[in-house]
Amino acid sequence: MSTRIDIHEDRLNAIFHALSNPTRRGLLARLCEANLTIGELAAPLEMSLPAVSKHVRVLEAAGLLRREVDGRVHRCSFDAEPLESAAEWIARYRAFWTDTLAALADHVEQP
Amino acid sequence: MSQPLVVSRTIRATPQRLFDAWTDPRQLVRWWGPAHVECVEAEVDLREGGRYRLENRVAGGGHVTISGEFIRVRPPDELVYTWSTDDGASPLEQVTVRFVPAEAGMTVVEVQHARIADVEVREQHAVGWEGCFDGLSELVEHTPHRLV
């Protein structure tokens, strides 16, 4: 049985970096609703296309966004799979610390 | 990076008692870890810049070493240290433990566990990871797994 946390370090780092920015989180939330082109992603934001493209590249590097290129149109879609890894990390450590604090309580509260 | 994970528990003991339990190797080998993990050896150099190492046996066979360096040592209030489950080659995680006195001889023990992805992210203030994941996780089905 593996004793290590099964985490791919670079991948998780990319995910956390991607999600650390509120603009990127907003882009991702909209992509949850619909596949959008970069132009459509940029339209409601007061941000240039290159700036949005940069955010899209960070999301893409994290595996959270997939891009389909059709001529000059880049259509983006959301990929949930990397979030499962990050959410799994959080869930594992939440369980770990909950159980560890329970053990601490038993240790100090027993006479 | 801000704290994606905060777990706390109110325990009937003083902050000093709990701080000692957390940092005394003789006590760590008696209580540390979840039920299926047993700490068999603990070394603690309790000072800022000092290192710690916990050797753990996992039920069913297997071994995991947790190690790191103390960043802040403020008895009995707070401990901040890095955390790595490999041989400590590059610590990417940081744990903050606070022992906050509550009423009637109780203490709230609060653990914050963060991943330090890069310097830019580390310097950002409260990002609210759990809220972020809660929102997006409505779209994702996942099952919590045990650590080991």
Side-chain angles (χ1 to χ4, degrees), chain B:
Chain B
M1 160 177 167
S2 69
Q3 291 73 30
L5 179 59
V6 182
V7 179
S8 66
R9 186 182 178 116
T10 302
I11 300 180
R12 182 174 301 284
T14 63
Q16 187 65 57
R17 175 77 186 87
L18 290 159
F19 186 96
D20 289 346
W22 203 280
T23 54
D24 177 2
R26 293 166 303 178
Q27 294 193 59
L28 285 165
V29 295
R30 297 216 296 267
W31 70 267
W32 170 265
H36 52 289
V37 173
E38 183 197 353
C39 180
V40 296
E41 194 182 317
E43 251 180 49
V44 176
D45 180 9
L46 187 66
R47 58 181 178 88
E48 291 176 10
R51 293 195 61 84
Y52 73 91
R53 182 175 54 88
L54 303 176
E55 302 288 347
N56 301 285
R57 199 176 290 147
V58 180
H63 186 95
V64 60
T65 303
I66 303 170
S67 65
E69 181 179 308
F70 291 104
I71 295 169
R72 196 180 308 144
V73 177
R74 291 198 189 143
D77 305 318
E78 185 182 57
L79 274 169
V80 182
Y81 50 92
T82 61
W83 164 290
S84 175
T85 54
D86 53 18
D87 285 337
S90 74
L92 288 173
E93 298 176 19
Q94 181 174 296
V95 172
T96 299
V97 190
R98 296 205 172 98
F99 304 95
V100 182
E103 73 280 351
M106 313 272 272
T107 299
V108 178
V109 182
E110 182 191 83
V111 177
Q112 299 174 13
H113 193 140
R115 289 183 63 88
I116 308 165
D118 56 34
V119 175
E120 174 198 328
V121 175
R122 201 184 316 168
E123 286 170 356
Q124 286 185 5
H125 294 293
V127 167
W129 283 108
E130 286 199 273
C132 166
F133 282 116
D134 284 346
L136 291 169
S137 72
E138 282 168 16
L139 304 163
V140 172
E141 286 185 4
H142 64 274
T143 309
H145 295 294
R146 287 286 156 180
L147 177 67
V148 292

Side-chain angles (χ1 to χ4, degrees), chain A residues 3 94 96-97 99 107 109, chain B residues 12 27 63 113 130 146:
Chain A
T3 61
R94 184 183 292 123
F96 175 87
W97 284 115
D99 292 352
H107 172 71
E109 286 177 348
Chain B
R12 182 174 301 284
Q27 294 193 59
H63 186 95
H113 193 140
E130 286 199 273
R146 287 286 156 180

Side-chain angles (χ1 to χ4, degrees), chain A residues 36-57:
Chain A
L36 298 169
T37 67
I38 297 199
E40 287 166 340
L41 284 172
L45 303 172
E46 288 181 0
M47 198 179 286
S48 67
L49 270 182
V52 173
S53 289
K54 187 176 172 194
H55 285 304
V56 165
R57 278 199 297 279

